[in-house]
Short mmCIF file of all heavy atoms in Angstrom, two decimals:
data_model
loop_
_atom_site.label_atom_id
_atom_site.label_comp_id
_atom_site.label_asym_id
_atom_site.label_seq_id
_atom_site.Cartn_x
_atom_site.Cartn_y
_atom_site.Cartn_z
N MET A 168 -57.16 202.53 58.71
CA MET A 168 -57.09 203.88 58.19
C MET A 168 -56.29 204.78 59.14
O MET A 168 -55.50 205.59 58.68
CB MET A 168 -58.50 204.41 57.97
CG MET A 168 -58.51 205.78 57.35
SD MET A 168 -57.63 205.76 55.79
CE MET A 168 -58.41 207.06 54.95
N THR A 169 -56.54 204.65 60.43
CA THR A 169 -55.81 205.51 61.37
C THR A 169 -54.32 205.20 61.34
O THR A 169 -53.50 206.11 61.47
CB THR A 169 -56.35 205.37 62.80
OG1 THR A 169 -56.29 204.01 63.21
CG2 THR A 169 -57.76 205.89 62.91
N ASP A 170 -53.98 203.92 61.17
CA ASP A 170 -52.56 203.56 61.09
C ASP A 170 -51.93 204.16 59.83
O ASP A 170 -50.81 204.66 59.87
CB ASP A 170 -52.39 202.05 61.11
CG ASP A 170 -50.93 201.65 61.24
OD1 ASP A 170 -50.28 202.16 62.19
OD2 ASP A 170 -50.46 200.87 60.40
N LEU A 171 -52.65 204.14 58.73
CA LEU A 171 -52.15 204.75 57.49
C LEU A 171 -51.89 206.24 57.70
O LEU A 171 -50.83 206.75 57.35
CB LEU A 171 -53.15 204.56 56.35
CG LEU A 171 -52.82 205.36 55.09
CD1 LEU A 171 -51.63 204.78 54.37
CD2 LEU A 171 -54.02 205.45 54.18
N LEU A 172 -52.84 206.95 58.29
CA LEU A 172 -52.67 208.38 58.53
C LEU A 172 -51.52 208.67 59.48
O LEU A 172 -50.72 209.58 59.27
CB LEU A 172 -53.96 208.99 59.05
CG LEU A 172 -55.11 209.06 58.05
CD1 LEU A 172 -56.38 209.53 58.73
CD2 LEU A 172 -54.75 209.95 56.89
N ARG A 173 -51.41 207.87 60.53
CA ARG A 173 -50.31 208.06 61.48
C ARG A 173 -48.97 207.85 60.79
O ARG A 173 -48.06 208.69 60.92
CB ARG A 173 -50.44 207.08 62.65
CG ARG A 173 -49.33 207.23 63.69
CD ARG A 173 -49.33 206.11 64.71
NE ARG A 173 -49.15 204.79 64.12
CZ ARG A 173 -47.96 204.29 63.72
NH1 ARG A 173 -46.88 205.01 63.83
NH2 ARG A 173 -47.89 203.07 63.21
N ARG A 174 -48.85 206.78 60.02
CA ARG A 174 -47.60 206.50 59.33
C ARG A 174 -47.31 207.54 58.25
O ARG A 174 -46.15 207.87 58.01
CB ARG A 174 -47.64 205.10 58.73
CG ARG A 174 -47.64 204.01 59.80
CD ARG A 174 -47.67 202.63 59.22
NE ARG A 174 -46.40 202.38 58.53
CZ ARG A 174 -46.24 201.43 57.63
NH1 ARG A 174 -47.24 200.63 57.32
NH2 ARG A 174 -45.08 201.27 57.05
N LEU A 175 -48.34 208.05 57.62
CA LEU A 175 -48.16 209.09 56.61
C LEU A 175 -47.65 210.38 57.25
O LEU A 175 -46.68 210.98 56.79
CB LEU A 175 -49.49 209.34 55.89
CG LEU A 175 -49.47 210.39 54.80
CD1 LEU A 175 -48.62 209.91 53.63
CD2 LEU A 175 -50.89 210.68 54.34
N MET A 176 -48.28 210.79 58.34
CA MET A 176 -47.92 212.05 58.99
C MET A 176 -46.60 211.97 59.74
O MET A 176 -45.97 213.00 59.97
CB MET A 176 -49.05 212.52 59.89
CG MET A 176 -50.31 212.86 59.09
SD MET A 176 -51.63 213.47 60.08
CE MET A 176 -51.11 215.17 60.25
N THR A 177 -46.15 210.79 60.09
CA THR A 177 -44.86 210.65 60.76
C THR A 177 -43.77 210.18 59.79
O THR A 177 -42.65 209.92 60.21
CB THR A 177 -44.94 209.67 61.95
OG1 THR A 177 -45.42 208.41 61.48
CG2 THR A 177 -45.84 210.21 63.04
N ALA A 178 -44.10 210.10 58.51
CA ALA A 178 -43.17 209.71 57.44
C ALA A 178 -42.50 208.37 57.73
O ALA A 178 -41.30 208.21 57.57
CB ALA A 178 -42.13 210.81 57.21
N GLU A 179 -43.28 207.38 58.15
CA GLU A 179 -42.75 206.06 58.45
C GLU A 179 -42.67 205.15 57.24
O GLU A 179 -42.17 204.04 57.35
CB GLU A 179 -43.58 205.39 59.55
CG GLU A 179 -43.40 206.04 60.90
CD GLU A 179 -44.16 205.30 62.00
OE1 GLU A 179 -44.48 204.11 61.83
OE2 GLU A 179 -44.42 205.94 63.03
N PHE A 180 -43.13 205.59 56.08
CA PHE A 180 -43.00 204.81 54.85
C PHE A 180 -41.64 205.12 54.23
O PHE A 180 -41.05 206.18 54.48
CB PHE A 180 -44.11 205.18 53.86
CG PHE A 180 -45.49 204.78 54.31
CD1 PHE A 180 -46.37 205.74 54.78
CD2 PHE A 180 -45.92 203.47 54.24
CE1 PHE A 180 -47.64 205.39 55.19
CE2 PHE A 180 -47.19 203.11 54.64
CZ PHE A 180 -48.05 204.07 55.11
N ASP A 181 -41.15 204.22 53.38
CA ASP A 181 -39.89 204.48 52.67
C ASP A 181 -40.04 205.67 51.72
O ASP A 181 -39.11 206.44 51.51
CB ASP A 181 -39.43 203.25 51.90
CG ASP A 181 -39.02 202.12 52.84
OD1 ASP A 181 -38.60 202.42 53.98
OD2 ASP A 181 -39.11 200.95 52.43
N ALA A 182 -41.23 205.78 51.13
CA ALA A 182 -41.56 206.90 50.24
C ALA A 182 -43.03 207.23 50.46
O ALA A 182 -43.80 206.39 50.91
CB ALA A 182 -41.32 206.51 48.79
N CYS A 183 -43.39 208.44 50.14
CA CYS A 183 -44.78 208.86 50.32
C CYS A 183 -45.69 208.04 49.41
O CYS A 183 -45.47 208.00 48.20
CB CYS A 183 -44.94 210.34 50.01
SG CYS A 183 -46.62 210.94 50.29
N PRO A 184 -46.72 207.37 49.96
CA PRO A 184 -47.60 206.54 49.14
C PRO A 184 -48.65 207.34 48.37
O PRO A 184 -49.40 206.77 47.59
CB PRO A 184 -48.27 205.62 50.17
CG PRO A 184 -48.27 206.43 51.42
CD PRO A 184 -47.03 207.25 51.39
N LEU A 185 -48.71 208.62 48.58
CA LEU A 185 -49.70 209.46 47.89
C LEU A 185 -49.03 210.34 46.85
O LEU A 185 -47.83 210.60 46.91
CB LEU A 185 -50.42 210.35 48.91
CG LEU A 185 -51.10 209.65 50.08
CD1 LEU A 185 -51.70 210.68 51.04
CD2 LEU A 185 -52.17 208.70 49.59
N SER A 186 -49.82 210.85 45.91
CA SER A 186 -49.26 211.76 44.92
C SER A 186 -49.15 213.19 45.47
O SER A 186 -48.48 214.03 44.89
CB SER A 186 -50.13 211.76 43.66
OG SER A 186 -51.45 212.17 43.99
N ASP A 187 -49.79 213.44 46.60
CA ASP A 187 -49.76 214.75 47.25
C ASP A 187 -48.90 214.68 48.50
O ASP A 187 -49.11 213.83 49.36
CB ASP A 187 -51.19 215.15 47.60
CG ASP A 187 -51.29 216.49 48.29
OD1 ASP A 187 -50.29 217.23 48.31
OD2 ASP A 187 -52.38 216.81 48.79
N LEU A 188 -47.95 215.57 48.66
CA LEU A 188 -47.03 215.55 49.80
C LEU A 188 -47.49 216.45 50.94
O LEU A 188 -46.74 216.68 51.89
CB LEU A 188 -45.63 215.97 49.36
CG LEU A 188 -44.94 215.06 48.36
CD1 LEU A 188 -43.61 215.66 47.93
CD2 LEU A 188 -44.74 213.68 48.95
N SER A 189 -48.71 216.97 50.90
CA SER A 189 -49.15 217.95 51.90
C SER A 189 -49.21 217.40 53.32
O SER A 189 -49.08 218.16 54.27
CB SER A 189 -50.50 218.55 51.52
OG SER A 189 -51.50 217.55 51.49
N LEU A 190 -49.40 216.09 53.50
CA LEU A 190 -49.44 215.50 54.84
C LEU A 190 -48.17 214.76 55.21
O LEU A 190 -48.00 214.36 56.35
CB LEU A 190 -50.63 214.53 54.96
CG LEU A 190 -52.01 215.12 54.89
CD1 LEU A 190 -53.06 214.02 54.94
CD2 LEU A 190 -52.24 216.11 56.00
N TRP A 191 -47.27 214.59 54.26
CA TRP A 191 -46.07 213.79 54.47
C TRP A 191 -45.17 214.41 55.55
O TRP A 191 -44.69 215.52 55.41
CB TRP A 191 -45.31 213.67 53.17
CG TRP A 191 -44.08 212.83 53.23
CD1 TRP A 191 -42.81 213.25 53.08
CD2 TRP A 191 -44.01 211.42 53.43
NE1 TRP A 191 -41.96 212.20 53.18
CE2 TRP A 191 -42.65 211.06 53.39
CE3 TRP A 191 -44.96 210.43 53.64
CZ2 TRP A 191 -42.23 209.75 53.55
CZ3 TRP A 191 -44.54 209.13 53.81
CH2 TRP A 191 -43.20 208.80 53.76
N GLY A 192 -44.99 213.69 56.64
CA GLY A 192 -44.11 214.14 57.72
C GLY A 192 -44.60 215.38 58.45
O GLY A 192 -43.82 216.13 59.01
N ARG A 193 -45.89 215.60 58.52
CA ARG A 193 -46.46 216.80 59.13
C ARG A 193 -46.94 216.51 60.55
O ARG A 193 -48.09 216.69 60.89
CB ARG A 193 -47.63 217.32 58.30
CG ARG A 193 -47.31 217.72 56.88
CD ARG A 193 -46.60 219.05 56.76
NE ARG A 193 -47.23 220.12 57.47
CZ ARG A 193 -48.02 221.04 56.94
NH1 ARG A 193 -48.32 220.98 55.67
NH2 ARG A 193 -48.52 222.00 57.69
N VAL A 194 -46.05 216.10 61.42
CA VAL A 194 -46.39 215.82 62.81
C VAL A 194 -46.81 217.12 63.49
O VAL A 194 -46.19 218.15 63.32
CB VAL A 194 -45.20 215.19 63.56
CG1 VAL A 194 -45.52 214.98 65.02
CG2 VAL A 194 -44.82 213.87 62.90
N GLY A 195 -47.87 217.05 64.28
CA GLY A 195 -48.29 218.22 65.03
C GLY A 195 -49.13 219.21 64.25
O GLY A 195 -49.31 220.34 64.69
N THR A 196 -49.66 218.82 63.09
CA THR A 196 -50.46 219.76 62.32
C THR A 196 -51.93 219.74 62.70
O THR A 196 -52.65 220.66 62.38
CB THR A 196 -50.35 219.47 60.81
OG1 THR A 196 -50.75 218.13 60.57
CG2 THR A 196 -48.95 219.71 60.31
N PHE A 197 -52.38 218.71 63.39
CA PHE A 197 -53.78 218.65 63.81
C PHE A 197 -53.97 219.47 65.08
O PHE A 197 -53.25 219.31 66.05
CB PHE A 197 -54.23 217.22 64.07
CG PHE A 197 -55.62 217.15 64.62
CD1 PHE A 197 -56.71 217.30 63.80
CD2 PHE A 197 -55.84 217.01 65.98
CE1 PHE A 197 -58.00 217.27 64.30
CE2 PHE A 197 -57.12 216.97 66.50
CZ PHE A 197 -58.20 217.10 65.66
N VAL A 198 -54.92 220.37 65.05
CA VAL A 198 -55.27 221.16 66.22
C VAL A 198 -56.78 221.04 66.41
O VAL A 198 -57.55 221.32 65.50
CB VAL A 198 -54.89 222.65 66.04
CG1 VAL A 198 -55.27 223.47 67.26
CG2 VAL A 198 -53.41 222.79 65.74
N HIS A 199 -57.19 220.58 67.58
CA HIS A 199 -58.61 220.40 67.89
C HIS A 199 -59.34 221.73 67.72
O HIS A 199 -58.80 222.80 67.99
CB HIS A 199 -58.75 219.89 69.33
CG HIS A 199 -60.11 219.38 69.65
ND1 HIS A 199 -61.12 220.22 70.06
CD2 HIS A 199 -60.63 218.13 69.60
CE1 HIS A 199 -62.21 219.49 70.26
NE2 HIS A 199 -61.93 218.22 69.99
N HIS A 200 -60.59 221.67 67.26
CA HIS A 200 -61.35 222.89 66.98
C HIS A 200 -61.50 223.77 68.21
O HIS A 200 -61.51 225.00 68.11
CB HIS A 200 -62.72 222.57 66.36
CG HIS A 200 -63.68 221.92 67.30
ND1 HIS A 200 -64.55 222.63 68.07
CD2 HIS A 200 -63.89 220.61 67.59
CE1 HIS A 200 -65.27 221.79 68.80
NE2 HIS A 200 -64.89 220.56 68.54
N GLU A 201 -61.58 223.18 69.40
CA GLU A 201 -61.69 224.00 70.61
C GLU A 201 -60.38 224.74 70.89
O GLU A 201 -60.39 225.88 71.33
CB GLU A 201 -62.08 223.13 71.81
CG GLU A 201 -63.51 222.63 71.72
CD GLU A 201 -63.87 221.67 72.84
OE1 GLU A 201 -62.98 221.29 73.63
OE2 GLU A 201 -65.05 221.28 72.91
N GLU A 202 -59.26 224.09 70.62
CA GLU A 202 -57.96 224.74 70.78
C GLU A 202 -57.78 225.84 69.74
O GLU A 202 -57.25 226.91 70.02
CB GLU A 202 -56.82 223.73 70.70
CG GLU A 202 -55.44 224.32 70.79
CD GLU A 202 -55.12 225.02 72.10
OE1 GLU A 202 -55.87 224.87 73.09
OE2 GLU A 202 -54.10 225.73 72.16
N GLN A 203 -58.26 225.60 68.51
CA GLN A 203 -58.21 226.64 67.48
C GLN A 203 -59.01 227.86 67.92
O GLN A 203 -58.55 228.99 67.77
CB GLN A 203 -58.77 226.12 66.17
CG GLN A 203 -57.87 225.20 65.43
CD GLN A 203 -58.47 224.77 64.10
OE1 GLN A 203 -59.60 225.13 63.75
NE2 GLN A 203 -57.72 224.00 63.36
N GLU A 204 -60.19 227.65 68.47
CA GLU A 204 -61.03 228.75 68.93
C GLU A 204 -60.36 229.51 70.08
O GLU A 204 -60.35 230.74 70.11
CB GLU A 204 -62.40 228.22 69.36
CG GLU A 204 -63.38 229.31 69.70
CD GLU A 204 -64.76 228.75 70.00
OE1 GLU A 204 -65.17 227.76 69.38
OE2 GLU A 204 -65.43 229.33 70.87
N ARG A 205 -59.78 228.77 71.02
CA ARG A 205 -59.10 229.41 72.15
C ARG A 205 -57.94 230.29 71.64
O ARG A 205 -57.78 231.42 72.06
CB ARG A 205 -58.55 228.36 73.11
CG ARG A 205 -57.94 228.96 74.39
CD ARG A 205 -57.07 227.97 75.13
NE ARG A 205 -55.87 227.60 74.42
CZ ARG A 205 -54.78 228.40 74.31
NH1 ARG A 205 -54.77 229.59 74.82
NH2 ARG A 205 -53.72 227.97 73.66
N ARG A 206 -57.17 229.76 70.70
CA ARG A 206 -56.06 230.52 70.15
C ARG A 206 -56.56 231.76 69.40
O ARG A 206 -55.96 232.83 69.51
CB ARG A 206 -55.24 229.65 69.19
CG ARG A 206 -54.44 228.58 69.88
CD ARG A 206 -53.69 227.76 68.86
NE ARG A 206 -52.90 226.70 69.48
CZ ARG A 206 -52.14 225.87 68.78
NH1 ARG A 206 -52.06 225.96 67.48
NH2 ARG A 206 -51.45 224.95 69.43
N PHE A 207 -57.63 231.62 68.64
CA PHE A 207 -58.19 232.74 67.88
C PHE A 207 -58.55 233.89 68.82
O PHE A 207 -58.18 235.04 68.58
CB PHE A 207 -59.42 232.28 67.09
CG PHE A 207 -60.12 233.39 66.37
CD1 PHE A 207 -59.61 233.87 65.17
CD2 PHE A 207 -61.27 233.95 66.89
CE1 PHE A 207 -60.26 234.90 64.51
CE2 PHE A 207 -61.91 234.98 66.23
CZ PHE A 207 -61.40 235.46 65.03
N TYR A 208 -59.26 233.57 69.90
CA TYR A 208 -59.67 234.62 70.83
C TYR A 208 -58.51 235.15 71.67
O TYR A 208 -58.60 236.24 72.23
CB TYR A 208 -60.82 234.13 71.71
CG TYR A 208 -62.10 234.03 70.94
CD1 TYR A 208 -62.69 232.79 70.68
CD2 TYR A 208 -62.73 235.16 70.41
CE1 TYR A 208 -63.85 232.68 69.94
CE2 TYR A 208 -63.89 235.06 69.66
CZ TYR A 208 -64.44 233.83 69.43
OH TYR A 208 -65.59 233.73 68.69
N ALA A 209 -57.42 234.40 71.74
CA ALA A 209 -56.22 234.87 72.45
C ALA A 209 -55.35 235.75 71.56
O ALA A 209 -54.37 236.32 72.02
CB ALA A 209 -55.41 233.68 72.95
N GLY A 210 -55.71 235.87 70.27
CA GLY A 210 -54.97 236.73 69.35
C GLY A 210 -53.77 236.08 68.71
O GLY A 210 -52.85 236.78 68.28
N VAL A 211 -53.77 234.76 68.64
CA VAL A 211 -52.68 234.06 67.97
C VAL A 211 -53.24 233.25 66.81
O VAL A 211 -54.45 233.00 66.73
CB VAL A 211 -51.90 233.13 68.93
CG1 VAL A 211 -51.22 233.94 70.02
CG2 VAL A 211 -52.79 232.09 69.55
N ASP A 212 -52.38 232.86 65.89
CA ASP A 212 -52.80 232.07 64.74
C ASP A 212 -53.39 230.76 65.23
O ASP A 212 -52.73 230.03 65.98
CB ASP A 212 -51.61 231.83 63.83
CG ASP A 212 -52.00 231.10 62.56
OD1 ASP A 212 -52.24 229.88 62.64
OD2 ASP A 212 -52.06 231.75 61.51
N PRO A 213 -54.61 230.42 64.83
CA PRO A 213 -55.27 229.20 65.33
C PRO A 213 -54.54 227.90 64.99
O PRO A 213 -54.63 226.93 65.73
CB PRO A 213 -56.64 229.22 64.65
CG PRO A 213 -56.87 230.64 64.33
CD PRO A 213 -55.53 231.21 64.03
N MET A 214 -53.78 227.87 63.90
CA MET A 214 -53.10 226.64 63.51
C MET A 214 -51.69 226.53 64.06
O MET A 214 -51.25 225.45 64.42
CB MET A 214 -53.06 226.52 61.98
CG MET A 214 -54.43 226.33 61.36
SD MET A 214 -55.33 224.91 61.97
CE MET A 214 -54.38 223.57 61.31
N THR A 215 -50.97 227.65 64.15
CA THR A 215 -49.57 227.59 64.55
C THR A 215 -49.33 228.01 65.99
O THR A 215 -48.31 227.65 66.57
CB THR A 215 -48.71 228.48 63.65
OG1 THR A 215 -49.08 229.85 63.85
CG2 THR A 215 -48.85 228.10 62.18
N GLY A 216 -50.21 228.83 66.56
CA GLY A 216 -50.00 229.34 67.90
C GLY A 216 -49.07 230.54 67.94
O GLY A 216 -48.76 231.06 68.99
N GLU A 217 -48.62 230.99 66.77
CA GLU A 217 -47.74 232.16 66.67
C GLU A 217 -48.58 233.44 66.75
O GLU A 217 -49.76 233.43 66.43
CB GLU A 217 -46.98 232.14 65.34
CG GLU A 217 -46.07 230.95 65.16
CD GLU A 217 -44.91 230.97 66.13
OE1 GLU A 217 -44.36 232.06 66.36
OE2 GLU A 217 -44.55 229.90 66.65
N PRO A 218 -47.99 234.55 67.17
CA PRO A 218 -48.73 235.81 67.22
C PRO A 218 -49.34 236.15 65.86
O PRO A 218 -48.70 235.98 64.82
CB PRO A 218 -47.66 236.84 67.60
CG PRO A 218 -46.62 236.05 68.30
CD PRO A 218 -46.62 234.69 67.65
N ASP A 219 -50.58 236.59 65.86
CA ASP A 219 -51.30 236.93 64.64
C ASP A 219 -51.31 238.44 64.47
O ASP A 219 -51.95 239.15 65.25
CB ASP A 219 -52.72 236.39 64.70
CG ASP A 219 -53.49 236.58 63.40
OD1 ASP A 219 -52.97 237.21 62.48
OD2 ASP A 219 -54.62 236.08 63.33
N PRO A 220 -50.61 238.98 63.46
CA PRO A 220 -50.56 240.43 63.28
C PRO A 220 -51.91 241.04 62.91
O PRO A 220 -52.11 242.25 63.04
CB PRO A 220 -49.56 240.62 62.16
CG PRO A 220 -49.54 239.33 61.42
CD PRO A 220 -49.87 238.26 62.44
N TYR A 221 -52.87 240.23 62.48
CA TYR A 221 -54.18 240.73 62.09
C TYR A 221 -55.24 240.54 63.17
O TYR A 221 -56.41 240.86 62.96
CB TYR A 221 -54.65 240.03 60.81
CG TYR A 221 -53.67 240.18 59.68
CD1 TYR A 221 -52.89 239.12 59.24
CD2 TYR A 221 -53.48 241.42 59.06
CE1 TYR A 221 -51.98 239.26 58.23
CE2 TYR A 221 -52.58 241.58 58.04
CZ TYR A 221 -51.82 240.51 57.62
OH TYR A 221 -50.92 240.65 56.61
N ALA A 222 -54.85 240.06 64.33
CA ALA A 222 -55.80 239.79 65.41
C ALA A 222 -56.51 241.08 65.82
O ALA A 222 -55.90 242.12 66.01
CB ALA A 222 -55.09 239.20 66.62
N GLY A 223 -57.83 241.01 65.92
CA GLY A 223 -58.65 242.12 66.37
C GLY A 223 -58.96 243.16 65.32
O GLY A 223 -59.68 244.12 65.60
N MET A 224 -58.44 243.02 64.10
CA MET A 224 -58.68 244.03 63.07
C MET A 224 -60.08 243.96 62.48
O MET A 224 -60.57 244.96 61.97
CB MET A 224 -57.66 243.89 61.94
CG MET A 224 -56.25 244.27 62.33
SD MET A 224 -55.06 244.10 60.98
CE MET A 224 -55.66 245.30 59.81
N PHE A 225 -60.73 242.82 62.55
CA PHE A 225 -62.00 242.65 61.86
C PHE A 225 -63.14 242.31 62.82
O PHE A 225 -64.04 241.57 62.49
CB PHE A 225 -61.88 241.57 60.79
CG PHE A 225 -60.76 241.85 59.82
CD1 PHE A 225 -59.56 241.18 59.91
CD2 PHE A 225 -60.91 242.81 58.84
CE1 PHE A 225 -58.53 241.43 59.03
CE2 PHE A 225 -59.89 243.08 57.96
CZ PHE A 225 -58.69 242.40 58.04
N ASP A 226 -63.10 242.84 64.01
CA ASP A 226 -64.15 242.57 64.99
C ASP A 226 -65.39 243.40 64.72
O ASP A 226 -65.42 244.42 64.25
CB ASP A 226 -63.67 242.88 66.41
CG ASP A 226 -62.63 241.86 66.88
OD1 ASP A 226 -62.59 240.76 66.31
OD2 ASP A 226 -61.87 242.21 67.79
#
C-alpha cells in the first residue's frame, strides 16, 4: 500500500490508476500535524507555509 501511494504521489505510473486525480503527482503535500500546528501559530497557512492573510482574525 505504501508503495502504491508513493508511486501515485510521485506520478511514477504511465497513467493515473485512480479515477480521481487529486493525489496524482502531488509530492510534498503531506504535512505532519505537529508541523501544521506550528505553522498555524506562526501565522502561516498550515498546508502551504505561505503567509495567511486571515491569521489572528478569529482568536
Side-chain angles (χ1 to χ4, degrees):
M168 184 57 153
T169 56
D170 189 52
L171 170 72
L172 291 173
R173 181 190 60 78
R174 292 180 67 199
L175 181 67
M176 295 182 80
T177 57
E179 290 184 21
F180 293 105
D181 292 334
C183 182
L185 305 176
S186 59
D187 180 11
L188 296 175
S189 62
L190 294 177
W191 183 247
R193 299 284 310 261
V194 176
T196 57
F197 174 78
V198 180
H199 193 275
H200 69 91
E201 291 175 354
E202 177 63 13
Q203 285 182 357
E204 187 175 325
R205 186 196 67 75
R206 289 179 180 181
F207 175 79
Y208 288 112
V211 296
D212 184 284
M214 293 303 291
T215 65
E217 298 293 321
D219 186 355
Y221 303 108
M224 291 180 64
F225 305 102
D226 290 339

